[in-house]
Amino acid sequence: MTACGLVTNSDKPVPLQSISVDVVVRGFVADVVSELRYKNEEEKAVEVAFVFPLDDDAAVYAFEGLIGGSRIEAQIREKKQAQQEYDDALTEGRQAFLLERETKTSDIFTCSLGNLPPSGEATLKLRYVQALAPEPDGAIRFVLPAVLNPRYVPPGSEGDTVTNNIPHVPRGQLPYTLSLRATLESSLVINWVESKCTLEPLRYTAEDHTAAQISLAEGHQFDRDVELLIYYEDVHKPSAILEAGKPGAASGSLMGDPALLVNLYPSLQCAPKPGMSATGEFLFLLDRSGSMGTSSDYSIPHAPQRIQSAKETLILLLKSLPLGCFFNIYGFGSTYDSFYPQSVEYTQQTMSESLQRIKDLGADLGGTEILEPLKAIYSQPCREGHPRQLFVFTDGEVSNTDEVIAEVQHHSSSHRCFSFGIGEGASTALIKGIARAAGGSAEFITDKERMQAKALQSLKKALQPAATGISLHWDLPSGLEAVLVGSGPQVIFKGQHSLIYAQIRGRHQSSDASGGSVVLQYNIQGQTFTDRVNFSLQAEERDRLPVHRLAARALLQDLEGAGEEKKRREKQRLALQTSLSSGVVCSQTAYVGVNTEKGQPVQGPLICRDVPHACYQVGMAQVMKRHKYSALAFNCAQHAPMAGMCSATQYGCPVAGSSSVFLDDARELTPKRKESPLLKLVSLQNADGSWGLDSNLAILLGLNEADIMSKTPEQVAPNVWATVLAILWLHSSAAEQWDEWELLEKKALNWLQAIAGSQLADCVKTGNAVLGSSVSPQTLGL
């Protein structure tokens, strides 16, 4: 996140007055209506632009306005036509509004409202639908994104990004308000709802707790993402929804036929074959741009920097790797580097060297140019017998998103990609796009979450054997046919749901048939597995057609994704056709609405106003005192008109993505974080999983080395005794972080079983007495 914002020194009021959001969450689908209320308090007509983020999976399907008492439903058009209609209307003095998606990325939209006269009021209403995926802990996560960081434009890239023209104001000084109300409906029991924002109490509207309402507390400032974590009972139960087609739409079309959404949870109840080692090539690509040097949580004084959390995560990942694998660590910013010219074998020596180098890493490589290091990685030949697994950590602020995804897609057959979006404002298009392109998974780490747990979850997925031969088999009554929409499941991980969209064509030949089923089949290590979901053929009538819109969005993601050049034109044609028929916006379309009511045209030149976002200032006042731009920059941050709005171009503030002096100085002001006891213990572990018995381990255990040595069980080697004590400490002192050290404990237990299997029960008993713990041998799998 940048230290200050961009491009206006206006003292005029912002026309956007308020945003109200109404969310209906039905099971795993969120249907959202956002209402933006405007009022022009200036003496001349204005045109106002509001640039805002949406999730990459969101399907925007409707846009309407209430202007001068007239309700105007916007129409979806080819983008150039929509822009022309909007411009023509403004030229003619008519009121108009436009909604379009940025061309190079799917998660940024611009809403423009033109010819709003003095004292004029308008309300614009945006509708979108989004599928919600469970988090590792089972929570269903809905996010209303607020933070939109300026996207870094690599040198040589064509065009600019609208994010670089967004004005910013200090947190707490946004001139518009936000309200949000959520209605929850499910066939599953709703246990509770969590959020980092202040919520009104959850109110159940059904006795069986399958329906509820919740809302944001009054006075919420829209300067942080609004996140709702919904906890259902039995969340991993497969489900299906069949939705009736749109009345009047042609039979046989996507919108005219019933649409099916199947939510599958493959069981993957299999273990690796005996004698098979968990081999692989593990490549870690870490964002070391200037923005990674900012705080991981602005609400907590002296919270750790993002780069610090990422380094701790890398240490845990490094320690959890299996012996015999290969690895390398890359860092990128305006340039990139790597620990080794090519991946090296995971040994005690390479692990120790890498551990020290990780501790020395900083957010000191400038901008965010991720494409070149990816090309460098892909230029290295893959190692036979060691499947390549790529882990990408970034706060996701790039403008060439499509180009990056295309590069990953081009090499998708040779690796899997696991991506991590760090902090609010990370591009969902980038993070989800590269994971989807290379058959991995995407995780988002908000400022109050620990990165380590989610990263280790992804490493567990990477260590799972790959599923091959994935196929779907439908069982439907005579006369009905299921046509898959989109590409279907391309990758399967244990505990991760798979969404399947299908169009149900034809008619029942028999009135007796009331249901159908789908079977997901896949192979793992030569074994065939199946998962079946049954569903009713009684289609539900829904006005907004959320399943149809989601199916259209899934199809558009496939059509607009990277592929062969010769097929691109046909894919673009099909994408345009799908977008226009479904109403779901894509890169080629936009919504436009024009007030055609006869009346006095708006006269005179328009004043352009941009709606500001909140910015995050890192130790700003202290930094300014030491900076050569102190007078001008301090005036920018504290005394610029319009509640502290600042202009990078006018005042010489650093722009997004640069290795700014603000961030450099802010890092100096942040006290060095003490290493946690868990991280200290993990750092002492050897590559084979064992611990050595020395003074460092003794100090961490709260003992002295001589005492530990004197209490060593008979005929037990010092490193075996040390390893048992370390595992007992993990269970007794770091149990809440079990998901972070689970893999390295397994490595330690495997080593112990091989070295001293018969002695372990006695060692555990003696170790408990020494440490004052009460960990049972059964807990350790003994």
Side-chain angles (χ1 to χ4, degrees):
M1 298 181 183
T2 55
C4 73
L6 190 67
V7 196
T8 185
N9 64 343
S10 170
D11 58 355
K12 302 299 182 182
V14 174
L16 181 61
Q17 303 282 296
S18 66
I19 302 172
S20 61
V21 180
D22 190 8
V23 186
V24 178
V25 178
R26 291 188 177 95
F28 302 92
V29 176
D31 203 344
V32 184
V33 181
S34 291
E35 200 171 87
L36 294 83
R37 296 188 180 90
Y38 297 85
K39 183 176 182 180
N40 181 10
E41 297 179 345
E42 303 193 49
E43 295 179 356
K44 294 183 180 180
V46 299
E47 178 186 20
V48 56
F50 180 33
V51 180
F52 60 94
L54 283 181
D55 192 280
D56 174 62
D57 290 328
V60 176
Y61 67 86
F63 192 40
E64 64 181 62
L66 183 65
I67 302 177
S70 300
R71 180 181 173 276
I72 304 164
E73 186 173 344
Q75 302 299 312
I76 191 166
R77 301 273 194 261
E78 285 194 59
K79 184 178 284 187
K80 288 183 179 179
Q81 181 184 348
Q83 293 168 338
Q84 188 63 54
E85 289 184 24
Y86 176 77
D87 292 340
D88 290 346
L90 297 198
T91 302
E92 295 166 6
R94 289 182 291 163
Q95 294 164 313
F97 49 97
L98 178 72
L99 178 70
E100 55 188 327
R101 200 190 88 184
E102 187 164 10
T103 302
K104 293 185 177 182
T105 186
S106 58
D107 60 350
I108 299 175
F109 286 76
T110 300
C111 173
S112 301
L113 171 64
N115 276 336
L116 188 62
S119 302
E121 297 185 16
T123 299
L124 301 183
K125 192 177 288 187
L126 164 74
R127 298 180 187 272
Y128 68 91
V129 64
Q130 180 184 341
L132 306 178
E135 295 286 284
D137 66 351
I140 303 301
R141 181 174 181 257
F142 169 77
V143 177
L144 181 70
V147 178
L148 180 55
N149 300 320
R151 302 291 167 89
Y152 180 83
V153 181
S157 294
E158 294 182 6
D160 201 351
T161 167
V162 294
T163 63
N164 286 343
N165 297 320
I166 301 173
H168 288 75
V169 297
R171 291 187 62 199
Q173 297 186 24
L174 283 175
Y176 49 90
T177 61
L178 171 75
S179 62
L180 179 143
R181 182 184 65 178
T183 300
L184 314 178
E185 301 173 359
S186 176
S187 59
L188 306 173
V189 172
I190 302 164
N191 286 332
W192 71 89
V193 178
E194 291 180 0
S195 178
K196 60 189 175 185
C197 304
T198 305
L199 302 175
E200 298 291 348
L202 180 69
R203 183 171 65 86
Y204 288 105
T205 54
E207 290 186 5
D208 59 359
H209 287 195
T210 58
Q213 288 187 339
I214 198 163
S215 59
L216 277 177
E218 287 189 16
H220 179 84
Q221 272 275 322
F222 198 26
D223 54 9
R224 302 201 74 170
D225 293 351
V226 177
E227 181 183 64
L228 298 179
L229 296 172
I230 305 164
Y231 289 85
Y232 293 135
E233 196 169 288
D234 200 13
V235 69
H236 296 304
K237 182 179 179 180
S239 61
I241 302 170
L242 183 65
E243 182 178 87
K246 183 179 181 181
S251 178
S253 67
L254 175 59
M255 299 305 292
D257 287 338
L260 178 70
L261 167 59
V262 179
N263 194 11
L264 266 174
Y265 287 88
S267 55
L268 266 70
Q269 296 299 327
C270 63
K273 287 183 176 179
M276 291 189 69
S277 60
T279 56
E281 181 188 34
F282 299 88
L283 305 178
F284 303 99
L285 180 57
L286 176 64
D287 188 342
R288 289 172 54 196
S289 62
S291 56
M292 286 289 288
T294 58
S295 172
S296 60
D297 190 342
Y298 294 92
S299 64
I300 301 176
H302 308 313
Q305 299 166 359
R306 291 177 178 178
I307 189 68
Q308 183 62 34
S309 297
K311 287 161 58 176
E312 293 180 5
T313 302
L314 267 181
I315 291 172
L316 281 167
L317 288 168
L318 184 66
K319 291 288 186 172
S320 301
L321 293 179
L323 275 177
C325 74
F326 288 78
F327 77 99
N328 202 352
I329 297 172
Y330 292 76
F332 72 93
S334 298
T335 59
Y336 69 90
D337 58 24
S338 63
F339 282 15
Y340 304 99
Q342 58 186 16
S343 60
V344 295
E345 186 175 354
Y346 182 74
T347 65
Q348 181 64 34
Q349 180 180 346
T350 57
M351 186 207 70
S352 298
E353 290 173 355
S354 299
L355 179 65
Q356 187 55 51
R357 294 186 67 176
I358 289 172
K359 293 179 178 180
D360 295 336
L361 294 178
D364 51 9
L365 291 185
T368 312
E369 296 185 35
I370 189 174
L371 188 59
E372 291 307 312
L374 283 173
K375 289 180 177 179
I377 288 171
Y378 297 141
S379 69
Q380 297 279 353
C382 294
R383 294 183 175 273
E384 186 175 352
H386 291 271
R388 177 170 286 177
Q389 318 279 1
L390 174 62
F391 291 75
V392 180
F393 298 85
T394 178
D395 54 10
E397 302 170 9
V398 298
S399 67
N400 58 338
T401 300
D402 287 352
E403 198 176 350
V404 173
I405 295 172
E407 182 68 19
V408 176
Q409 174 77 46
H410 183 66
H411 298 276
S412 59
S413 62
S414 64
H415 78 302
R416 290 193 292 188
C417 179
F418 299 86
S419 55
F420 303 86
I422 302 171
E424 296 177 334
S427 168
T428 58
L430 175 68
I431 304 304
K432 290 185 176 182
I434 59 177
R436 186 167 52 237
S441 64
E443 298 287 354
F444 291 88
I445 297 102
T446 58
D447 292 337
K448 289 184 181 293
E449 292 180 297
R450 284 182 63 80
M451 190 185 307
Q452 293 86 334
K454 288 192 172 182
L456 268 295
Q457 287 282 348
S458 291
L459 180 58
K460 291 173 195 174
K461 293 175 184 176
L463 291 171
Q464 290 179 21
T468 59
I470 301 172
S471 60
L472 293 170
H473 305 278
W474 299 90
D475 183 9
L476 293 171
S478 177
L480 293 180
E481 175 192 13
V483 179
L484 188 66
V485 179
S487 58
Q490 301 296 300
V491 61
I492 295 175
F493 295 114
K494 185 176 180 179
Q496 180 171 305
H497 79 158
S498 294
L499 290 181
I500 300 168
Y501 299 98
Q503 178 182 343
I504 306 299
R505 291 179 175 173
R507 291 189 176 183
H508 285 274
Q509 300 297 320
S510 170
S511 58
D512 297 334
S514 60
S517 65
V518 59
V519 176
L520 176 68
Q521 182 174 305
Y522 48 93
N523 302 317
I524 296 180
Q525 297 178 351
Q527 301 178 62
T528 300
F529 298 87
T530 59
D531 287 278
R532 177 185 293 271
V533 176
N534 299 316
F535 53 86
S536 170
L537 289 173
Q538 299 299 315
E540 301 180 23
E541 303 279 349
R542 295 187 175 182
D543 292 341
R544 298 184 189 176
L545 301 167
V547 175
H548 284 77
R549 316 287 188 186
L550 287 172
R553 177 71 186 122
L555 180 57
L556 287 169
Q557 283 179 330
D558 278 0
L559 293 173
E560 293 194 312
E564 296 178 34
E565 185 65 35
K566 60 183 179 181
K567 294 182 180 179
R568 183 166 298 176
R569 184 168 295 180
E570 175 62 14
K571 282 189 169 185
Q572 287 178 338
R573 185 189 67 80
L574 291 173
L576 177 60
Q577 178 183 319
T578 301
S579 179
L580 293 174
S581 63
S582 66
V584 176
V585 174
C586 73
S587 62
Q588 302 177 70
T589 57
Y591 271 100
V592 62
V594 177
N595 189 356
T596 57
E597 295 287 325
K598 291 185 178 180
Q600 187 70 26
V602 177
Q603 302 291 329
L606 285 176
I607 300 174
C608 296
R609 296 284 178 249
D610 295 314
V611 176
H613 285 245
C615 78
Y616 296 79
Q617 298 175 353
V618 188
M620 183 67 71
Q622 299 99 312
V623 171
M624 298 301 178
K625 293 177 183 177
R626 298 164 49 189
H627 191 263
K628 65 180 181 180
Y629 295 120
S630 59
L632 288 176
F634 186 76
N635 181 61
C636 159
Q638 303 293 334
H639 303 295
M642 194 173 167
M645 191 174 290
C646 55
S647 165
T649 52
Q650 179 171 351
Y651 295 110
C653 299
V655 296
S658 67
S659 182
S660 70
V661 288
F662 289 95
L663 293 174
D664 292 340
D665 288 349
R667 281 191 287 271
E668 292 176 23
L669 293 170
T670 305
K672 188 172 182 180
R673 190 184 184 199
K674 290 184 178 179
E675 198 173 47
S676 69
L678 173 60
L679 198 63
K680 287 181 180 178
L681 183 73
V682 169
S683 298
L684 295 175
Q685 189 184 30
N686 296 318
D688 59 9
S690 67
W691 273 267
L693 184 52
D694 59 18
S695 59
N696 290 323
L697 178 64
I699 291 170
L700 195 144
L701 298 176
L703 304 168
N704 65 61
E705 190 175 355
D707 283 345
I708 295 177
M709 290 292 293
S710 66
K711 295 174 182 177
T712 304
E714 290 184 13
Q715 298 182 337
V716 171
N719 56 351
V720 171
W721 177 230
T723 302
V724 169
L725 291 175
I727 293 174
L728 293 177
W729 185 93
L730 288 172
H731 280 273
S732 59
S733 300
E736 291 183 356
Q737 293 161 266
W738 171 82
D739 49 1
E740 298 178 21
W741 48 261
E742 176 193 5
L743 287 177
L744 59 89
E745 183 209 23
K746 283 184 178 179
K747 187 162 66 168
L749 288 172
N750 287 338
W751 179 84
L752 283 172
Q753 292 280 14
I755 298 297
S758 61
Q759 301 170 305
L760 292 184
D762 288 340
C763 286
V764 170
K765 182 178 179 181
T766 307
N768 278 325
V770 171
L771 296 179
S773 56
S774 56
V775 182
S776 70
Q778 289 76 18
T779 303
L780 307 183
L782 303 178

